Amino acid sequence: MASGSPRKDVNLDMQLLSKPSSPTRNGDMIVDDNYDPHLHRNRPHPTTNFETLVHLLKGSLGTGILAMPQAFYNAGYISGFVNTILIGILCTYCLHVLVQAQYILCKRHRVPILTYPISMKMALEEGPNCLRRFSPYAVVIVDGFMIVYQLGICCVYIVFVATNIKQLVDVYLNLDVKIHCMILLVPLIGINMIRNLKILAPFSTLANLITFVGLGMILYYVLDDLPSLSEREMVTDIGRFPLFFGTTLFALEAVGVIIALENNMATPKSFGGAFGVLNVGMFVIVALYAGMGFIGYWKYGADALGSVTLNLPEMDILSRTIRILFAVAIFISYGLQCYVPVDIIWNVYLVQKYKDSNNKFVYEMLVRIVVVIVTFLLAVAIPRLGLFISLFGALCLSALGIAFPAIMEICVLWPDKLGPGRMILWKDIILILFGIIGLVAGTYTSVRDIIYSFQ
């Protein structure tokens, strides 16, 4: 968890890596039905249901919603609307699968909390024999995908803020977008010094308010003088659909933040359920994304840019205000998104090495600074906002948000809890295949278009 969280979670994970399982006669783990992991959590800065919902909305309501008009251009307004809802349902379902699988593992092993990578490793160790051989690599693989994805989000945020600031100041001083990225470097390092989610909650609330106000102001432009809907495509060429898939998955799926939020809740039982924090948050998010994508594509069509704010009139006072508002909101959100890779790199891989050092705090601050510098360098190297979003959505979230939860569920329920006719097994195999296809097709299309954009 966060740097503000106790180290015992990490130590507990490390102990479980070497702790032998306690099998029954048929090879299944002994499950104590009286043990509830949620009742044994001890978080130093637990978040309330409302704070968790705020973080969830802010973790998803970022640059993704502003990229949805361009995503709809790659799908068509009918295909885009329907598939945004379907992808939203799929993402939400897979997150429920992941959270439930982690709960079963915690209950089975009598531990209060587990991280995503450790859960994956433990699940693989208890799954089919053909999957157990991959368990030694599970932690590094999941951590790797998580770090790359969250760093990708941070890169997108830097490019977004820099691009919008560039449009604001171009009338006075025409500088390259890379210079604006460089100007942001020190402020980004500053916000990344915040060390726990409790402190970030007020900032997330402010960013949410700014985002909703900004979206309302954008609608003022988007809804004005709409062209005939017949001028827009209902369904586009299938070759462009992977870009839609990657962008929408990037926009809707916030698996890294969501797992961190659920682990840090004061009442984690309120996270799931029909009207739990996850469903309520995702319902709002999917509705906003589908609506913005549909209306934005209707307005701008093929001219829709990587962020709809870039389509607004450059000199209008209102449009300039919108760019300022979103630049501030996304800048604030950078701290929340950077929380996850810093947490993984420091708490999982480095904190034990420096636990007895008098300079441990200094080393942690250095890690935070290095992470910001890495995202800055990537943003400067590839300042292609729309393609960046699609690439990281397809590359990382097809695995983290779809395939891996399905694999984990198979392993946790193996061999005799997979339902009649092993329905859960076949369902999860379909999810795994869908995730692999999305990863390969989306990554290939995004990388190809990034290369073309430099030619």
Side-chain angles (χ1 to χ4, degrees):
M1 282 306 302
S3 48
S5 302
R7 281 203 314 268
K8 65 182 180 180
D9 292 342
V10 178
N11 295 335
L12 181 59
D13 282 343
M14 295 300 104
Q15 295 169 12
L16 285 167
L17 286 175
S18 57
K19 179 181 177 181
S21 301
S22 303
T24 60
R25 185 171 56 189
N26 64 359
D28 291 334
M29 293 295 301
I30 298 174
V31 179
D32 182 0
D33 291 333
N34 295 320
Y35 181 84
D36 187 349
H38 291 162
L39 301 179
H40 292 78
R41 292 183 179 179
N42 181 22
R43 317 308 298 164
H45 304 285
T47 52
T48 65
N49 292 353
F50 177 74
E51 288 172 338
T52 303
L53 180 60
V54 167
H55 280 312
L56 173 57
L57 292 174
K58 189 67 237 115
S60 297
L61 286 176
T63 55
I65 191 169
L66 303 176
M68 288 306 294
Q70 189 182 70
F72 270 55
Y73 162 69
N74 290 313
Y77 63 86
I78 294 296
S79 174
F81 190 85
V82 172
N83 283 294
T84 297
I85 295 174
L86 292 178
I87 292 174
I89 293 172
L90 175 65
C91 290
T92 307
Y93 173 76
C94 288
L95 288 170
H96 278 291
V97 167
L98 177 59
V99 171
Q100 183 60 27
Q102 286 189 309
Y103 179 81
I104 293 173
L105 285 169
C106 287
K107 191 175 181 70
R108 184 175 293 171
H109 291 270
R110 297 180 60 81
V111 294
I113 196 169
L114 287 171
T115 59
Y116 191 172
I118 301 299
S119 299
M120 191 70 183
K121 176 180 173 61
M122 294 171 65
L124 288 171
E125 289 174 340
E126 299 172 11
N129 290 330
C130 61
L131 295 179
R132 293 182 184 181
R133 70 187 72 176
F134 299 106
S135 62
Y137 316 105
V139 173
V140 174
I141 291 173
V142 174
D143 277 343
F145 272 108
M146 195 79 76
I147 291 171
V148 170
Y149 166 59
Q150 292 295 150
L151 293 180
I153 293 179
C154 293
C155 294
V156 169
Y157 282 13
I158 294 174
V159 175
F160 175 89
V161 176
T163 304
N164 280 271
I165 291 177
K166 174 177 169 57
Q167 277 201 350
L168 285 168
V169 304
D170 268 356
V171 65
Y172 310 108
L173 183 63
N174 192 356
L175 297 175
D176 189 275
V177 67
K178 297 177 182 178
I179 302 299
H180 290 289
C181 290
M182 189 174 297
I183 294 171
L184 288 169
L185 183 57
V186 172
L188 289 170
I189 290 174
I191 198 171
N192 199 37
M193 295 297 105
I194 299 176
R195 302 175 66 216
N196 67 64
L197 288 175
K198 192 74 174 178
I199 296 176
L200 281 173
F203 294 98
S204 288
T205 303
L206 174 62
N208 274 339
L209 292 174
I210 292 174
T211 299
F212 281 110
V213 171
L215 289 174
M217 296 168 71
I218 287 175
L219 289 177
Y220 169 80
Y221 284 101
V222 174
L223 294 174
D224 181 50
D225 193 25
L226 286 169
S228 172
L229 193 57
S230 62
E231 297 178 20
R232 306 295 180 234
E233 295 181 277
M234 290 189 291
V235 180
T236 61
D237 180 12
I238 190 65
R240 293 183 358 224
F241 189 82
L243 291 175
F244 165 83
F245 176 78
T247 301
T248 306
L249 199 60
F250 178 95
L252 293 176
E253 183 71 89
V255 61
V257 173
I258 283 173
I259 294 302
L261 292 177
E262 194 272 344
N263 284 345
N264 206 60
M265 285 185 69
T267 56
K269 289 187 183 299
S270 301
F271 191 76
F275 298 98
V277 172
L278 178 57
N279 282 357
V280 171
M282 290 301 292
F283 176 82
V284 173
I285 290 164
V286 171
L288 289 173
Y289 274 65
M292 180 59 72
F294 181 88
I295 297 171
Y297 174 59
W298 185 0
K299 173 70 174 181
Y300 298 111
D303 294 326
L305 299 176
S307 168
V308 71
T309 58
L310 302 177
N311 285 107
L312 303 181
E314 292 190 16
M315 299 307 297
D316 283 10
I317 293 178
L318 182 60
S319 68
R320 295 171 72 82
T321 302
I322 291 171
R323 291 190 185 91
I324 293 172
L325 288 175
F326 273 103
V328 171
I330 298 303
F331 172 81
I332 292 173
S333 302
Y334 181 94
L336 178 61
Q337 299 296 346
C338 216
Y339 170 95
V340 178
V342 169
D343 176 54
I344 295 172
I345 295 169
W346 176 249
N347 281 335
V348 177
Y349 294 99
L350 295 179
V351 73
Q352 291 300 307
K353 182 178 180 180
Y354 298 108
K355 65 179 181 179
D356 298 322
S357 172
N358 294 328
N359 297 317
K360 186 175 72 171
F361 177 78
V362 175
Y363 289 133
E364 181 184 345
M365 294 301 104
L366 287 175
V367 169
R368 292 176 176 275
I369 292 171
V370 169
V371 167
V372 175
I373 291 174
V374 169
T375 61
F376 159 76
L377 293 175
L378 286 171
V380 169
I382 313 176
R384 303 290 191 270
L385 184 60
L387 295 175
F388 231 147
I389 290 174
S390 180
L391 171 62
F392 283 102
L395 175 63
C396 299
L397 292 177
S398 294
L400 289 172
I402 300 176
F404 288 176
I407 293 172
M408 189 183 296
E409 184 176 51
I410 290 174
C411 294
V412 167
L413 300 180
W414 186 266
D416 58 353
K417 297 180 178 62
L418 294 167
R422 295 199 165 185
M423 285 180 54
I424 297 176
L425 173 64
W426 297 115
K427 177 264 298 180
D428 285 335
I429 289 176
I430 293 173
L431 288 176
I432 294 167
L433 292 175
F434 184 80
I436 293 173
I437 293 171
L439 186 153
V440 174
T443 302
Y444 168 78
T445 306
S446 299
V447 170
R448 181 199 64 194
D449 286 6
I450 287 174
I451 293 173
Y452 286 164
S453 73
F454 282 101
Q455 294 178 351

